[in-house]
Amino acid sequence: MTTVQPEKLSGEHFTSIQLGAWEQLTQYSVEVPALPGRKIPGKLFLRDLMGLSGMEISVNKFPAGVGMPFHHTHKLHEEVYLFIRGKGQFQMDGEVIEVREGTVIAIAPGGKRVYRNNSSEDLYYLVIQAEQGTLTHSATEDGVISRDAVIWPE
Amino acid sequence: MTTVQPEKLSGEHFTSIQLGAWEQLTQYSVEVPALPGRKIPGKLFLRDLMGLSGMEISVNKFPAGVGMPFHHTHKLHEEVYLFIRGKGQFQMDGEVIEVREGTVIAIAPGGKRVYRNNSSEDLYYLVIQAEQGTLTHSATEDGVISRDAVIWPE
């Protein structure tokens, strides 16, 4: 079984990929330990692909009518679900949250989470993980503005 | 000046927000040290808003024709730009990368980066930051599947 990889360009300090339009996410797939021997289409992890060392990101297309078959928690990772397009439901701490474009859910490691696409259209979302408590600076404290002129090619 | 905050719901292990449709991001704004006294519309940081401790995320709407006026680097933070909708250009390490829906760029702290929306439509993107080298487990090593039954309300 061939594994499709996105178009990639790297430089000294960066790696960039072109995933294509969200609808095309189905071309990518992953294997997960929870479902050995099966490739899950419409899911791609970016950490190994892009050489990330402080976070993991997955990009996901969840088909109409599909739901996660189990709850899960984490040991050390804070997790953020960010919904890009479509509609679904998220369940945690006894709450059912309606998710759609612009919904963001931040979860502490111990939160028992499950979600589903209970709509008739595909649901697109990101899942971002980082180790809880590891960010010691704010974004603006950490950023350094350069005085070099900004020049764009014609 | 009033500051608009997104609708928010929190539980023991989570915080969720509803930002609304991407077009509505203009209602949010931030102040940044680089431009004191000015509120930048169409930008929202999630760390303080959602109680994140391992990452920072900003959600951004960049108007047609606008470009960042300076390059910047980071001290400790790995940074990922993930483009949701629209078109623009990103410049780094001597490369000009065309960005659009599905473009993801991962940058090491020392990378001198700048970008612009050189199109006639708004550009929507996320910027995610975490401290380089802090992720010690993979997502699947860190996840724990629960045997509890998944029950959705009717």
Side-chain angles (χ1 to χ4, degrees), chain B residues 70-108:
Chain B
F70 51 78
H71 302 264
H72 82 280
T73 58
H74 274 274
K75 296 172 192 160
L76 301 173
H77 291 182
E78 178 173 78
E79 199 172 47
V80 172
Y81 289 77
L82 193 147
F83 292 88
I84 294 173
R85 190 187 296 173
K87 287 179 184 169
Q89 289 183 319
F90 208 99
Q91 191 182 145
M92 195 176 20
D93 292 346
E95 299 276 357
V96 175
I97 302 159
E98 302 293 327
V99 304
R100 55 184 180 271
E101 180 177 322
T103 302
V104 189
I105 305 178
I107 311 176

Side-chain angles (χ1 to χ4, degrees), chain A residues 60-122:
Chain A
N60 303 271
K61 176 179 179 174
F62 213 44
V66 168
M68 283 293 283
F70 50 77
H71 302 265
H72 82 280
T73 58
H74 274 275
K75 296 171 191 161
L76 301 173
H77 292 183
E78 179 173 79
E79 199 172 47
V80 172
Y81 289 77
L82 192 147
F83 292 87
I84 294 173
R85 191 187 296 172
K87 288 179 183 168
Q89 289 183 321
F90 209 100
Q91 192 182 142
M92 197 175 22
D93 290 347
E95 299 277 356
V96 175
I97 302 159
E98 302 294 326
V99 304
R100 55 185 180 269
E101 180 177 321
T103 302
V104 190
I105 306 178
I107 311 174
K112 207 179 67 178
R113 68 214 73 172
V114 69
Y115 52 99
R116 64 174 179 175
N117 179 352
N118 62 334
S119 79
S120 56
E121 297 185 359
D122 294 326

Side-chain angles (χ1 to χ4, degrees), chain B residues 12-121:
Chain B
E12 185 186 351
H13 298 95
F14 81 95
T15 298
S16 69
I17 57 171
Q18 302 285 359
L19 296 173
W22 299 125
E23 288 82 357
Q24 297 171 24
L25 280 179
T26 317
Q27 70 186 306
Y28 309 115
S29 62
V30 295
E31 283 188 59
V32 294
L35 298 166
R38 270 187 54 193
K39 288 227 176 199
I40 302 172
K43 188 176 185 74
L44 187 68
F45 283 107
L46 303 187
R47 185 186 68 147
D48 290 348
L49 182 64
M50 306 191 76
L52 295 170
S53 65
M55 65 180 100
E56 174 64 282
I57 303 174
S58 68
V59 187
N60 302 270
K61 176 181 179 173
F62 213 44
V66 168
M68 285 291 285
F70 51 78
H71 302 264
H72 82 280
T73 58
H74 274 274
K75 296 172 192 160
L76 301 173
H77 291 182
E78 178 173 78
E79 199 172 47
V80 172
Y81 289 77
L82 193 147
F83 292 88
I84 294 173
R85 190 187 296 173
K87 287 179 184 169
Q89 289 183 319
F90 208 99
Q91 191 182 145
M92 195 176 20
D93 292 346
E95 299 276 357
V96 175
I97 302 159
E98 302 293 327
V99 304
R100 55 184 180 271
E101 180 177 322
T103 302
V104 189
I105 305 178
I107 311 176
K112 208 178 68 179
R113 66 215 76 175
V114 69
Y115 53 98
R116 65 176 179 174
N117 179 352
N118 62 334
S119 79
S120 57
E121 297 184 359

